[in-house]
Amino acid sequence: MTSELLTVPEAMSLLKVSRWTLYCLIRSGELPSVVVNVRCRRIPAAALDSYVSRLCEEAA
């Protein structure tokens, strides 16, 4: 497996959003994430790229 998994703070930094906003995106299903163990949430880098691409398409 070669996909990069980002931590919540890393994803927040890349999107320039708050923790609350990021978790809202995850809860709504707009941004997929995975749970590793019990309390470790990770966001696939590809999911982040896909989310940004959708935002750009909607804005166009």
Side-chain angles (χ1 to χ4, degrees):
M1 181 170 85
T2 59
S3 68
E4 183 180 354
L5 296 175
L6 304 170
T7 64
V8 168
E10 290 170 336
M12 289 167 42
S13 177
L14 289 170
L15 288 177
K16 309 285 192 274
V17 298
S18 69
R19 180 177 296 270
W20 186 83
T21 300
L22 187 71
Y23 276 108
C24 283
L25 291 170
I26 291 169
R27 275 192 296 276
S28 71
E30 291 183 69
L31 187 60
S33 68
V34 295
V35 177
V36 180
N37 288 330
V38 179
R39 295 180 54 128
C40 291
R41 184 166 299 274
R42 299 291 184 260
I43 297 93
L48 208 60
D49 290 339
S50 175
Y51 174 70
V52 172
S53 294
R54 275 185 308 206
L55 289 177
C56 291
E57 288 173 7
E58 291 173 6

